[in-house]
Structures are given as structure tokens and as C-alpha cells.
Amino acid sequence: MAALLPLIILCPLAVAVILLLSRGTMPARATCGLVGVGMGLCALFGVIEAVTFLNGPDSTGALHVVLWHWIHVGGFDTSFALTLDRLSLVMMLVVSCIGFLILVYACSYMRDDPDIARFFVYMNLFVASMLLLVLSSDMIAVYFGWEGVGVCSYLLIGFWYHETPNANAARKAFVVTRIGDALFLVALLLLATGVGSLDFNAVIQAAPHAPHAAITLATLLLLGGAVAKSAQLPLQTWLPDAMAGPTPVSALIHAATMVTAGVYLIARLHAVFLLTPGVMLLCAVIGFVTILFAAGSALVQTDIKRVLAYSTMSQLGYMYMALGCGAWQGAMFHLVTHAFFKALLFMAAGSIILRVHHEQDIFKMGGLRQEMPGVFWAFIAGSAALAGLPLITAGYFSKEMILTSAYNVAPLFWLGGILGAFLTSIYIFRCVFITFWGEARTHAHGRTGIVQAVPLAILGVLAIIGGWMEVPDSLGSVHIFSNLLSPVLGELPEEHGGAVLLLIGSIVPLIGVSLAWMLWKPTGRAPEALDQPLVRVLRADWGFDALYDVVFVRPYLALGRLNRNDFIDRLYDLLASVTQFFGRAFGLMQTGQVRRYAAWIAVGTVLALCLAV
Amino acid sequence: MNPGDPIAAIAIASILFVIGLLGVMVRRNLLFMLISVEIMLNAAALAFIAAGARWHAADGQVMFLMIIAYAAAEAAVGLAIVLRMHAAGRGTLDADTGNRLKG
């Protein structure tokens, strides 16, 4: 079914182009219909393609579709080609199916926005870029998709650009991820000059023969690009601010898909990363630090979306730790379950926000359990999966898979992961208890419509049962997911100390939830946000924003002010004024009087004659 | 002074040329300036004749004929300009009033 593969990308792209050309004249209902059909086809084609590929003769290999030869310069050769193997298949299904659910949800969420067409142009463009990113077999096209998702992220964070903070947040996200994009581009150029091709297979085959220093540098730069895209330390500051965008955007881009692009890229190039243990260690350390950093920050946030943003950062930290430990399957599995439950949490949060008059402060909500039971259960399902409550949630299995692998590499990583899981269960259930229990501090109006409820329900079910496709040996040994990916990512390594680790991993979230209940159970009086200096620092990103402000932003602005008159421009101005001066001087000779001219001619002739003689 | 002496002819030509040049530079009346230019042209022509006589070459006389043609053309154009200026309503022949092209 090679013909379907390009269509998966073309469907959302076509919708984006049609909406773009309609210039917002299409009524909201028709827009939503078009988006539903386009994304529905995209998801349908994705599923058909996946099924036929897995039942096909070459289900462990890869399906290559060369669309056209793109660049052919000197020794460098690039085709615009798509590749479907089991890794990109997983990503493609996540992007198309969860993307479909989120866009359906967004139809209801954005129904009353006058700019709904513009919104869906960006969203569909995003889905198309993301699909290009995961499906293309050449890193130049990956870079193309990588930039495409970055631009769409920028446009969507600043979707309500009439308010300055939103526009600033969009700019911040763009600039910070741009740092990573630059590193990624340098890595690509290194590989292109070293290997002569940016095809994934060519790079993976050439890497062992390349000089070690060059490969180390390239992987380091790739890691830098991935880190910026995934909001890991130290380039994490953009993600909390990115919550300024509409909530479906946060669900699609800043939870389920774009931020995991880096994880996918590293998993795709895992054979190259295996050559550089130092870079892998760095990757694991970055993940390790980010888990704890972001969990600590999430503990004290008051804005429901910022809690979720920090939790996304923290969960991505798990994936990076898994990548660093060589647990490629674990990282991909957590990527998938995280896409389920984090998209669910964001969409549930969006439904809450819609019904409480765009209030996002959890301390101003309270007691919403009775008013919106459906959303409550969806949020509970997502929170349970995020906290990794044992056995019944998807997050438990994926997190345990990562923690077990981490333990086998370094017990310290496992300890950090467990501590992160503990903090995760506290902060997300703090959010649950404050939002849904206790006195009602706000009144929810309206109802959550069926169009929002269905995606919530589907993702809610997936967040619960999605984990059962990979169950560790001690609990029943189901390995659907790792068997799916093992042709690409290699066999799952032998586990050690499984049962004890699982037990600890099961108890810790329960302790966390109990602790959260003790701290934030309804007491009859309204809970208040802590306001101590330490908490303020934690809430403000551990002071990273302030630090970057002092270290980078202000010196840069000062330089800008200093150079307001552009000293290089002054040189050219000098040239202009010298020319002007001589022009004026010679202009004085042009008196307009013929007699004078005749006199000058005479003088000149006499002088010339004198010189000649 | 021997009329056939080329030195004398060159001297007369030089004097005539300087008179013409001074006339162009000093007179403001356009007609007088044209006349001065004619004098300069004839001075040059005289120098050619003298040189041709000195070296017994026909080139000097050829040049003289050409200069006559130049002078005729110059007079025609110059007078036409003067007439046009009159027709355009200019009430004076003062060359210094035509200085609108000054830098």
C-alpha cells in the first residue's frame, strides 16, 4: 500500500490549503466538517496502512516510497522519500489518531472563535509537518518537518496575539527552540559532509567507520536539538509559557506530538547514539535532572495548565532518561502512553476552563466534581495514569519499564525516577483534590458537549488500558509493544530485580496520593496557594527565567541599545558624506554662466599645453 | 614683416585667438560672443594656412575649408538659438541671465 503513505501527509495539508484559500469566509460548521473529514481520512489511512504493513510480507523491514529526487549536488544525494517501518508506524499512528481526536475536540472548543479557520489552518499544517517529520527517510525532510512544527507551534501559541503576553510567549518559544534547531542543522551539515547523504540508513551504516570525535560532536548537537524541542533542561523555559495558546494546541503540540519529536529522532538514530556512551550518559543525566526539576516546579503551580506543562516536561525527562539508558522501547512506550494520558489531561482541563469562564487558577475552582462528573472521571483517569497508579493505568507500565532499565544501568537513575514518580503523584492529585473536591468557589455553566466528551472518553479508556500491551514478566509477561518494535530497536534486554522494583514502584505513587489527600483534602475552608520565598522561586521555574533574563536577555538588549545607531552603518554614512562634500565643492563651479565655462576651458587648455610642452 | 613669413602669420593668428577668447569671456551680449567665436575659429584657420604654407602641404587648406564649414554650422546654430530665445519672449541678449542650470 505504498500509495497510501503520501496521502496520510497530504490529507491534513490539503485541508490546510483549502482553509487558507477560503480566507476565513467558510462558516465555522463547514470548517469543522472539512477538518473532521480531512483528519478522519488521515487517521483512517494511517490505520489501514499500519494494518496492511504489519500483515504484509515485509512487516519487520521497511516500506520505502521515493516521491522524487530532490537534491543532487556533487557527492551529496537526497531524495524526497517516505519510510514506514515499525518505529515510524507507531509515531504515525500516534500523530494521526490522537491528532484526529484532538482536532475533533478542538472543533467544539474553538466553535465560537471568529478566527477558527486560521486556527485549523495552523493545526492541519502542524499535523502535516509532524507526519512528514516521522515518516520521511531523509534527515533533510525531517528538518523540514521539524521547522514546520516549530513554526506552527509559534503561530498557535500566539494564536490570540492581540494580548501581548501571548505574543511574547510565542516569541520566547520560537527563539528558544530555534537554538536547538540551529544545533540540529549543524549536526545535519556535519553528517552530510561526513557521510555524503542524510538518509537514516546511510548515516547509521556509515557511523561506525567515521572518526569518533565527529560522531560524538554530531550526536551531541542532535541531542541539543532534541533537548530544545522537548523542553528539557537547560532549554526548558519556553514550555510553561507556551500554555498561552488555546488548550487543544497544548494537548496536541505541547504534550502528545511535537515535544516528543526529539525522543523519536534519538530512537531512530539509536545505533549512532550507541557509539557514543558519553552523549548517552549526558542524555540520561539531562532526563534525570529534568524529572526532578519539573516535578518540583509542578508542585507549587497555581495555574492548571502550567501544572500540566511542568508534568509534560517531567514525563519527557523519563523518556530522555530511558534513551540515555538505552531503553529505546521503554522511551517509545512511555511516549505513546504519555500521548494518551497527557492529551486527555489537557483536553479535560480545557473543558473545565471553558465551563468556568476561562479561569485557570485551581484555587479559584473547587468542588467541580458534582458539576461536571464526566470531565471529572476523565481527569481522574488521566491523573491516575500520570501518577502511575499500579496495574490499572497505562502510565504505570511504561514508567516501570523505564525505571527497571534505569536500575540496570545505574541505581541512582532509578532512585531519581522513583522520587519523580512520588512527586508526580503528589502534584497531580493536589491539582485533582483542589479542583474537584471541597467547596465550590466558582460556578460551572453550560454542558460539555458530545463532541468534547467522545474524544475524552476514548482517550480516558486508552489511558487506562493502553498499558496492557506491555506487561513485565513478574506480572504476566505481555510484550506486544516491545515485540512490535524489536525489529527496529533491538531485543529487550534481560531484566534484573524486576519484582522488588515493581513493588516499590507500585507503592510509591499510592503513598504520594495519600499524602496529597492529607495535605489538600477538603477542610471546610478554601485552600490557599503558599506564598513563601522558596515557593515563589520554584513557581517561577526555579529562577531560570530570571537567570536567563540577567545572563542573556538583558546583555543582548543592552548591546542592542548601545548599537542603536549601528556603528557599521556609520562607516557607510561617512562614505556618503565625503561624496556629498566633493559633490557640493565641484557643484560650485557650475555657475550656469557660459562665459565662466569658456574661461575654465581656456585655463584648462593652457595648463594642458604647459604640461605637454 | 614679410607677408609670406609663417611666424608672422602664426603671431597674427595667436593675437586673433586671444582677442576672440577675451571677447567670449568678457562680452555678455550673445551676438558679440558668437562673433568672438568666429574670430577664434578664423584664427585657428589662419594658423592652419600658415602651417600649410610653411611645409608646402595641402592639409592646411583642407583644414581651412573644414573650419569654414564648422563656422557656418556654428553660426547657424548659434543664431537659431538666439532667435528661439527671442521668440520665447526673452527680452535681453545678456548671456549671464541664462544661468538656470547652475549647480
Side-chain angles (χ1 to χ4, degrees):
Chain A
M1 295 293 269
L4 269 188
L5 208 50
L7 278 183
I8 298 172
I9 299 178
L10 278 179
C11 279
L13 191 63
V15 173
V17 170
I18 293 170
L19 286 177
L20 190 67
L21 294 180
S22 77
R23 295 185 307 145
T25 53
M26 206 181 269
R29 192 173 275 275
T31 305
C32 286
L34 182 67
V35 170
V37 170
M39 276 307 294
L41 279 177
C42 171
L44 184 70
F45 290 158
V47 171
I48 293 175
E49 184 66 48
V51 170
T52 50
F53 176 74
L54 289 177
N55 291 325
D58 191 26
S59 68
T60 56
L63 175 69
H64 283 286
V65 182
V66 179
L67 294 180
W68 65 83
H69 291 284
W70 191 4
I71 300 173
H72 187 82
V73 193
F76 182 74
D77 214 355
T78 295
S79 297
F80 202 94
L82 304 179
T83 294
L84 188 72
D85 64 359
R86 293 185 165 204
L87 181 61
S88 55
L89 181 134
V90 168
M91 282 303 282
M92 184 263 288
L93 282 181
V94 166
V95 175
S96 60
C97 294
I98 295 186
F100 171 61
L101 290 176
I102 294 175
L103 260 71
V104 167
Y105 172 90
C107 282
S108 161
Y109 190 91
M110 302 297 289
R111 196 178 45 210
D112 299 325
D113 197 292
D115 282 334
I116 185 168
R118 182 164 62 90
F119 177 77
F120 279 114
V121 169
Y122 298 160
M123 283 297 248
N124 281 286
L125 203 59
F126 171 82
V127 174
S129 311
M130 191 69 205
L131 285 168
L132 177 67
L133 196 165
V134 301
L135 283 177
S136 68
S137 60
D138 195 282
M139 275 200 265
I140 287 219
V142 168
Y143 187 73
F144 198 74
W146 188 273
E147 294 291 331
V149 294
V151 167
C152 292
S153 162
Y154 163 75
L155 291 170
L156 284 164
I157 294 168
F159 180 71
W160 289 312
Y161 57 85
H162 295 295
E163 286 161 41
T164 318
N166 297 350
N168 287 344
R171 205 156 50 211
K172 185 174 176 186
F174 194 67
V175 170
V176 175
T177 50
R178 180 47 39 132
I179 297 168
D181 294 353
L183 299 181
F184 186 26
L185 184 61
V186 175
L188 290 191
L189 296 176
L190 261 182
L191 290 173
T193 47
V195 179
S197 166
L198 283 175
D199 189 75
F200 278 116
N201 288 331
V203 169
I204 288 169
Q205 272 160 19
H209 313 297
H212 191 258
I215 289 297
T216 308
L217 188 59
T219 48
L220 201 61
L221 291 166
L222 283 174
L223 179 67
V227 157
K229 209 63 158 181
S230 301
Q232 299 292 294
L233 239 57
L235 294 171
Q236 86 291 11
T237 54
W238 65 272
L239 187 60
D241 287 352
M243 296 300 121
T247 309
V249 172
S250 312
L252 179 64
I253 301 182
H254 305 119
T257 53
M258 185 189 86
V259 287
T260 60
V263 179
Y264 167 75
L265 188 76
I266 294 178
R268 166 64 72 197
L269 286 171
H270 68 281
V272 181
F273 275 80
L274 275 175
L275 300 172
T276 55
V279 177
M280 278 183 64
L281 182 67
L282 179 66
C283 178
V285 169
I286 287 175
F288 172 80
V289 176
T290 309
I291 292 171
L292 298 175
F293 169 89
S297 226
L299 266 180
V300 293
Q301 297 299 322
T302 56
D303 182 321
I304 187 167
K305 285 185 71 182
R306 283 179 91 90
V307 174
L308 296 178
Y310 278 106
S311 84
T312 303
M313 214 189 269
S314 175
Q315 298 301 309
L316 286 164
Y318 278 102
M319 295 176 213
Y320 275 81
M321 197 169 82
L323 292 172
C325 296
W328 320 111
Q329 268 107 336
M332 287 308 293
F333 186 36
H334 200 57
L335 189 160
V336 173
T337 55
H338 176 255
F340 292 157
F341 63 70
K342 193 50 66 64
L344 170 67
L345 279 173
F346 266 117
M347 285 174 7
S351 295
I352 296 171
I353 292 165
L354 263 194
R355 286 182 59 185
V356 296
H357 311 278
H358 290 278
E359 179 60 61
Q360 301 195 4
D361 189 342
I362 51 174
F363 288 97
K364 292 185 180 151
M365 294 175 182
L368 292 174
R369 187 161 42 115
Q370 283 87 15
E371 303 222 32
M372 39 177 90
V375 176
F376 165 68
W377 283 113
F379 203 87
I380 283 285
S383 304
L386 173 61
L389 296 190
L391 300 178
I392 52 165
T393 61
Y396 171 72
F397 294 104
S398 55
K399 189 145 61 193
E400 286 313 313
M401 194 169 169
I402 290 177
L403 290 181
T404 310
S405 322
Y407 184 80
N408 289 330
V409 171
L412 178 67
F413 288 150
W414 174 81
L415 200 65
I418 282 290
L419 187 58
F422 179 62
L423 293 175
T424 305
S425 55
I426 295 180
Y427 69 67
I428 193 63
F429 276 91
R430 161 183 178 266
C431 184
V432 169
F433 294 143
I434 293 175
T435 311
F436 290 103
W437 264 267
E439 301 272 306
R441 290 181 289 279
T442 182
H443 177 64
H445 71 287
R447 287 182 54 77
T448 300
I450 185 86
V451 183
Q452 290 184 28
V454 169
L456 282 179
I458 294 173
L459 282 175
V461 170
L462 283 175
I464 296 297
I465 66 163
W468 291 334
M469 56 188 169
E470 181 73 25
V471 177
D473 292 336
S474 343
L475 288 174
S477 193
V478 181
H479 290 295
I480 300 173
F481 193 80
S482 54
N483 285 341
L484 180 70
L485 285 181
S486 55
V488 185
L489 296 178
E491 292 296 327
L492 213 54
E494 197 71 29
E495 291 173 14
H496 299 288
V500 181
L501 297 182
L502 278 181
L503 192 65
I504 301 176
S506 311
I507 293 170
V508 161
L510 294 176
I511 299 176
V513 175
S514 321
L515 190 64
W517 176 252
M518 278 193 282
L519 286 172
W520 289 289
K521 69 185 172 196
T523 52
R525 59 191 179 80
E528 278 177 18
L530 295 172
D531 194 29
Q532 292 154 349
L534 177 68
V535 171
R536 274 203 297 272
V537 169
L538 278 188
R539 190 173 292 150
D541 212 29
W542 294 57
F544 260 88
D545 268 340
L547 179 71
Y548 286 171
D549 196 44
V550 172
V551 177
F552 297 114
V553 179
R554 285 207 201 151
Y556 188 76
L557 288 179
L559 267 180
R561 261 195 299 279
L562 206 65
N563 195 20
R564 174 171 287 169
N565 293 325
D566 196 356
F567 76 96
I568 291 191
D569 218 29
R570 292 281 80 79
L571 286 178
Y572 295 103
D573 282 357
L574 185 69
L575 196 64
S577 48
V578 166
T579 314
Q580 230 164 15
F581 170 77
F582 280 108
R584 284 219 188 82
F586 288 122
L588 288 178
M589 291 165 60
Q590 303 286 322
T591 53
Q593 293 183 359
V594 184
R595 303 185 305 130
R596 288 276 172 82
Y597 298 163
W600 280 115
I601 292 171
V603 170
T605 313
V606 168
L607 279 180
L609 282 175
C610 287
L611 284 176
V613 172
Chain B
M1 191 166 67
N2 184 0
D5 187 7
I7 300 294
I10 290 294
I12 291 171
S14 305
I15 292 167
L16 278 177
F17 189 85
V18 171
I19 290 172
L21 184 61
L22 284 176
V24 170
M25 290 195 289
V26 175
R27 297 304 296 248
R28 297 198 293 185
N29 191 316
L30 272 171
L31 283 177
F32 278 97
M33 288 170 77
L34 280 174
I35 293 169
S36 303
V37 171
E38 290 297 322
I39 293 173
M40 286 162 74
L41 279 168
N42 283 303
L46 182 58
F48 272 113
I49 291 293
R54 164 70 180 74
W55 278 291
H56 303 288
D59 302 359
Q61 292 172 30
V62 172
M63 286 307 289
F64 174 76
L65 288 175
M66 209 160 86
I67 288 171
I68 294 291
Y70 285 158
E74 178 263 333
V77 172
L79 288 172
I81 290 173
V82 172
L83 281 176
R84 275 307 305 158
M85 283 163 70
H86 178 70
R90 181 184 286 261
T92 173
L93 283 171
D94 187 350
D96 285 3
T97 58
N99 62 352
R100 278 192 295 172
L101 277 176
K102 76 173 175 203

